[in-house]
Amino acid sequence: MRVALKAYAALLLVQGALWSNPAHADWRDDIGTFRIGIVAEPGAGNTVPGLARLTDAYTKALGMKVEFVVARDYAVLIEAQANARIEYAIYSATAYATASQRCGCIEPLVAPVDFDGAIGIRSVLLTRDGKLPDLAAMESHRIAMAPSDSVGGSLLPLAALTAEGRKIADNAPFLVHAESAAAAETMLLDGKADGLFGWVTAAGDGQPEASGIQASGTRASGPQASGTQARLEAAGLSATALQVVWTSGLLRYGPHAVRSDLDPEAKRRLTVFLTNLKSMTPDIYDLLESKHSGGFAVVAPKDYEMAAAVVRLVSGSGPGQ
């Protein structure tokens, strides 16, 4: 009986090896070298600070050879992932949405969070001293906007309003595109505009807004204000004089995305590595993500619906969702 039990135990060990080890080896063997695409900062050429340390960290996380591919811009990065020349890419929100529209073959894993819990931005329509009573009154007032290529101050509000069924042309007579976001803010400060499209950092739906501002103009409890509101206050405008007439949906910070056909074990390893990176090895996190210091959180395609709406607006491919 004891011999039979030993034989059965040995058989289980052999079967376990057959079921687990080759499966783990196969996806690594199939890939060969795991390639990560990243866009260099403007003026940095094809160099990325700390690239050797980042490569080593990913190599240990995946247990295989890793290579970083530095692209000159997001268009190059998108084509590389769509054509399976890289398995993983670090995108802006709109670049990810463009890539998703391009091939439908990628999915987001994680996205960064700010130190105060903000996970993205929202566009806001601000007025002062109640000069603009509501959204419906826009056409009879002068509304300042940032330049037409500004995501938070122009593209996001137009895309979000379109998604709500309020399509507004970029050249509508009541909209005034200033030369810069600062110039648009000055128009509101100087009384040359009754409203202003700007942006605020924000937490997720159902969470306290990181912008810290409420429709009444009073400051909400929660993270410190950031964005257009903070600049207006710094310029001398009282917080009680500001009112939020309208707020857009959330434009999430850009994700780290992988090809959808990547092995689930690789996705799992990457997700565990990235979501623990800030607490386990903060120096490596800072190399990978220098703009948002709160760590990485898991994301899903639905988190980028507003980014997709912006891309559709720019490409003219249809109404926003």
Side-chain angles (χ1 to χ4, degrees):
M1 182 67 175
R2 295 176 66 181
V3 173
L5 287 174
K6 288 182 179 179
Y8 180 66
L11 179 60
L12 288 179
L13 288 173
V14 172
Q15 287 180 330
L18 290 173
W19 292 337
S20 60
N21 293 342
H24 288 180
D26 284 347
W27 64 268
R28 294 185 180 92
D29 291 341
D30 290 343
I31 295 172
T33 298
F34 190 87
R35 291 182 171 83
I36 300 172
I38 188 170
V39 173
E41 291 294 324
N46 63 347
T47 62
V48 173
L51 198 57
R53 297 184 65 197
L54 289 171
T55 302
D56 181 64
Y58 276 94
T59 297
K60 291 175 179 175
L62 288 168
M64 66 180 298
K65 183 179 179 182
V66 170
E67 176 182 302
F68 271 81
V69 177
V70 182
R72 68 175 181 269
D73 55 37
Y74 283 118
V76 172
L77 194 64
I78 290 166
E79 285 304 306
Q81 194 166 33
N83 294 320
R85 294 196 300 272
I86 59 174
E87 286 73 40
Y88 175 119
I90 302 172
Y91 287 117
S92 69
T94 53
Y96 164 75
T98 302
S100 182
Q101 184 185 73
R102 162 72 175 77
C103 73
C105 60
I106 64 171
E107 61 186 72
L109 285 183
V110 302
V113 177
D114 283 331
F115 75 95
D116 59 3
I119 61 174
I121 66 169
R122 296 181 190 273
S123 177
V124 289
L125 176 56
L126 296 166
T127 191
R128 61 178 298 184
D129 303 321
K131 290 182 179 179
L132 180 66
D134 53 42
L135 196 60
M138 273 197 304
E139 295 187 14
S140 59
H141 291 74
R142 190 173 171 86
I143 309 299
M145 295 189 84
S148 57
D149 61 349
S150 167
V151 175
S154 182
L155 296 176
L156 178 56
L158 292 176
L161 288 168
T162 298
E164 296 175 9
R166 298 173 177 268
K167 186 172 179 59
I168 298 173
D170 181 52
N171 60 352
F174 59 89
L175 296 179
V176 182
H177 283 285
E179 294 182 355
S180 65
E185 292 159 11
T186 299
M187 290 180 66
L188 185 70
L189 288 166
D190 293 346
K192 295 180 180 179
D194 300 315
L196 165 69
F197 279 111
W199 62 272
V200 291
T201 55
D205 293 330
Q207 301 178 45
E209 287 301 299
S211 65
I213 193 169
Q214 299 174 326
S216 64
T218 59
R219 184 174 298 281
S221 60
Q224 185 177 356
S226 182
T228 305
Q229 175 207 355
R231 290 198 297 271
L232 288 170
E233 291 181 19
L237 188 60
S238 167
T240 58
L242 281 171
Q243 294 87 40
V244 177
V245 177
W246 168 85
T247 304
S248 77
L250 179 71
L251 182 68
R252 188 107 188 202
Y253 294 141
H256 292 222
V258 296
R259 283 188 56 87
S260 299
D261 57 6
L262 182 66
D263 188 274
E265 174 62 12
K267 295 177 186 178
R268 185 194 70 80
R269 284 173 172 261
L270 287 166
T271 302
V272 170
F273 164 65
L274 291 166
T275 53
N276 287 284
L277 191 58
K278 176 67 177 179
S279 60
M280 299 294 289
T281 49
D283 55 331
I284 298 297
Y285 177 87
D286 291 342
L287 288 173
L288 189 60
E289 176 53 63
S290 61
K291 296 178 180 177
H292 309 288
S293 60
F296 289 114
V298 174
V299 290
K302 64 181 178 61
D303 293 317
Y304 291 92
E305 290 176 352
M306 192 53 64
V310 171
V311 170
R312 284 192 296 271
L313 176 76
V314 173
S315 64
S317 60
Q321 295 180 4

